Amino acid sequence: MATINRRQTREVRVGRVTIGGLHPIVLQSMCATHTWDAEATIAQCRQLAEAGAQIVRVAVDSDRDVKALPAIADQCPVPLSVDLQENYRLAAQVAGWVRKIRYNPGHLHHVDRHVTWEDKVRWLADIAGQHGCALRVGVNCGSIDPALKERYPDADSVDLMVLSACLHCELLEKIGFTNYVVSLKDSEPAKVVAANRRFAKEWPTVPLHLGLTEAGLPPEGVLKTKRALLPLLREGIGETIRVSLTLPAERKHEEILAAKEILAELENAGEFEPLRDEISEEVRLDLVSCPSCSRVENTAFVALAEKVRELTAYARAYPFKIAVMGCRVNGPGETDDADIGLWCGANFVNLKCRGQLVGRFGYDEVLAEVKRRLDILISEYNARQQRQVAHQEQPA
């Protein structure tokens, strides 16, 4: 049995749930239904709660979503969290119905550009304080504040994530708002571990929400999440967790089952036992796909991600990154960073190669182009390898 010395952060209240202190790690998930469809979203809230979710999150992007929220909040069996994305001004309309508001520092610049990010955060904190809501400062690698990128052009993504989180913590502390948690997410487990370790050292009393921006399809997505979360949890870092899997709505509860599996492994493993990785070392291809959620513009992206996994199986030994993204939130950033990126819209897929848009394709035609592009990358990679071998074999 492992002996985990958990750090003691301050407590953050989310309705009747407490995150931090020495309370048990809290499990979360997010609805994959459209929030404006109150009946479907209520059913999903119940599905997740029955699986063991202690907080459920929904996305609110429009007035239509706002109108559905009272009914959802009334019938959700656990505290409700809301994701605002770019439209931070909706906080005033939703705060009375939810217990936690998540905002993304990198998205605050999209609206009211004449208003400083500091004033926007002060306004959000004031709204949250009036209604007894917690805040989550949700920093994502794929949507870092452009001003930070411009100011620190040589900084890597981990540096920028930690810096962004610290700046927001400093402001919230300065104005006296302490009922908040922080998340620092990336699709690469090593970066998640590095960012959260650094932040936990600098801000030891602030509770951390752990997760990957996109873990991908199960079972690989569960294993990838373990590589990110278990090292941190074994160090006592992390007060609430979310597993972000690419799943159809009817299987969304599997995120909670995976989270429980992680906690069980945490409890049962030896303190210094290395994390077993069931993925073969020969698999170097990294397939990133975002979690299905209410922001997804076409649920066909889940099936597309599965088809991409099948299609690219022959390239598993190559060190490429392929991203299949379902919405505008992390889609642009993740597909820019991928060797091949599929940013899925409502009726077509934006296909990128190493950050460059190469075309827009229908869902039924994009796979052929993915394979063609992948074959080109493989051919170029093999040629480079052959040149390196030939160079090494040349006599001195």
Side-chain angles (χ1 to χ4, degrees):
M1 176 89 50
T3 301
I4 306 297
N5 294 317
R6 291 191 51 203
R7 64 184 193 138
Q8 186 168 355
T9 68
R10 63 173 166 236
E11 297 182 351
V12 170
R13 296 286 300 176
V14 183
R16 61 178 180 275
V17 174
T18 302
I19 297 173
L22 292 178
H23 291 269
I25 293 169
V26 174
L27 305 185
Q28 303 193 35
S29 186
M30 184 174 183
C31 289
T33 53
H34 291 295
T35 305
W36 51 259
D37 187 343
E39 183 178 353
T41 303
I42 290 166
Q44 181 119 106
C45 289
R46 290 171 174 165
Q47 172 195 1
L48 293 170
E50 288 173 4
Q54 295 158 280
I55 298 172
V56 171
R57 182 159 50 114
V58 297
V60 173
D61 285 334
S62 67
D63 290 337
R64 195 181 183 192
D65 292 334
V66 171
K67 290 178 182 177
L69 206 54
I72 296 168
D74 182 59
Q75 298 188 56
C76 182
V78 295
L80 201 62
S81 174
V82 66
D83 213 333
L84 296 180
Q85 298 309 321
E86 291 96 339
N87 201 347
Y88 78 99
R89 284 287 182 186
L90 289 176
Q93 299 178 53
V94 304
W97 304 106
V98 302
R99 302 273 57 86
K100 185 180 175 193
I101 298 171
R102 184 262 178 161
Y103 75 90
N104 183 333
H107 284 159
L108 290 179
H109 72 282
H110 289 303
V111 181
D112 296 340
R113 297 197 178 193
H114 61 286
V115 181
T116 66
W117 71 263
E118 291 92 342
D119 283 344
K120 293 172 184 176
V121 172
R122 289 187 186 97
W123 184 83
L124 283 168
D126 185 54
I127 293 294
Q130 289 178 33
H131 294 274
C133 295
L135 286 178
R136 170 155 73 101
V137 181
V139 182
N140 280 1
C141 65
S143 51
I144 294 292
D145 188 335
L148 285 182
K149 288 184 177 181
E150 184 177 346
R151 185 176 178 184
Y152 302 99
D154 297 327
D156 63 25
S157 60
V158 172
D159 291 334
L160 291 173
M161 280 197 293
V162 175
L163 176 59
S164 178
C166 289
L167 289 173
H168 282 253
C169 290
E170 289 168 3
L171 177 58
L172 289 170
E173 298 289 329
K174 181 179 179 180
I175 63 179
F177 187 92
T178 59
N179 198 43
Y180 70 92
V181 303
V182 167
S183 64
L184 303 100
K185 295 188 178 183
D186 194 289
S187 61
E188 296 182 28
K191 291 183 178 180
V192 171
V193 173
N196 282 277
R197 276 177 177 159
R198 283 176 51 183
F199 180 85
K201 186 176 181 179
E202 294 193 38
W203 292 86
T205 64
V206 175
L208 275 166
H209 168 128
L210 300 184
L212 293 167
T213 47
E214 311 91 11
L217 295 159
E220 296 92 341
V222 178
L223 295 172
K224 183 182 284 189
T225 303
K226 286 183 180 181
R227 292 202 300 274
L229 268 59
L230 280 174
L232 293 167
L233 293 170
R234 287 173 179 170
E235 295 170 18
I237 298 171
E239 287 65 49
T240 179
I241 64 175
R242 191 264 172 114
V243 181
S244 300
L245 299 174
T246 307
L247 292 164
E250 64 272 14
R251 294 174 53 197
K252 199 62 178 170
H253 64 284
E254 291 181 26
E255 289 190 344
I256 296 299
L257 301 183
K260 288 182 174 181
E261 181 181 328
I262 289 170
L263 293 187
E265 188 164 335
L266 174 70
E267 182 178 350
N268 295 326
E271 184 173 3
F272 300 104
E273 180 182 341
L275 178 61
R276 292 182 296 106
D277 189 348
E278 298 172 31
I279 300 178
S280 168
E281 293 182 359
E282 297 179 357
V283 178
R284 302 168 71 191
L285 184 72
D286 184 16
L287 177 59
V288 174
S289 56
C290 64
S292 39
C293 74
S294 59
R295 297 186 300 260
V296 167
E297 296 183 57
N298 190 330
T299 56
F301 109 91
V302 177
L304 179 62
E306 293 173 343
K307 291 176 182 177
V308 170
R309 176 170 61 180
E310 294 171 6
L311 175 72
T312 60
Y314 73 98
R316 286 158 61 89
Y318 290 90
F320 300 136
K321 179 178 178 179
I322 299 177
V324 185
M325 307 301 295
C327 78
R328 70 182 189 276
V329 175
N330 293 314
E334 285 291 349
T335 51
D336 279 347
D337 291 340
D339 294 287
I340 297 177
L342 294 84
W343 177 14
C344 302
N347 301 308
F348 56 81
V349 179
N350 301 285
L351 183 63
K352 296 180 182 178
C353 283
R354 293 177 173 163
Q356 299 298 313
L357 180 67
V358 298
R360 292 177 174 177
F361 301 85
Y363 276 77
D364 58 347
E365 60 185 4
V366 71
L367 289 172
E369 185 64 15
V370 169
K371 186 178 187 307
R372 189 179 79 83
R373 296 281 174 172
L374 182 57
D375 286 342
I376 292 173
L377 292 177
I378 290 173
S379 178
E380 293 173 346
Y381 178 85
N382 287 339
R384 287 195 302 272
Q385 295 295 104
Q386 291 171 3
R387 287 195 298 269
Q388 290 176 7
V389 171
H391 179 73
Q392 292 170 357
E393 292 178 348
Q394 288 181 356

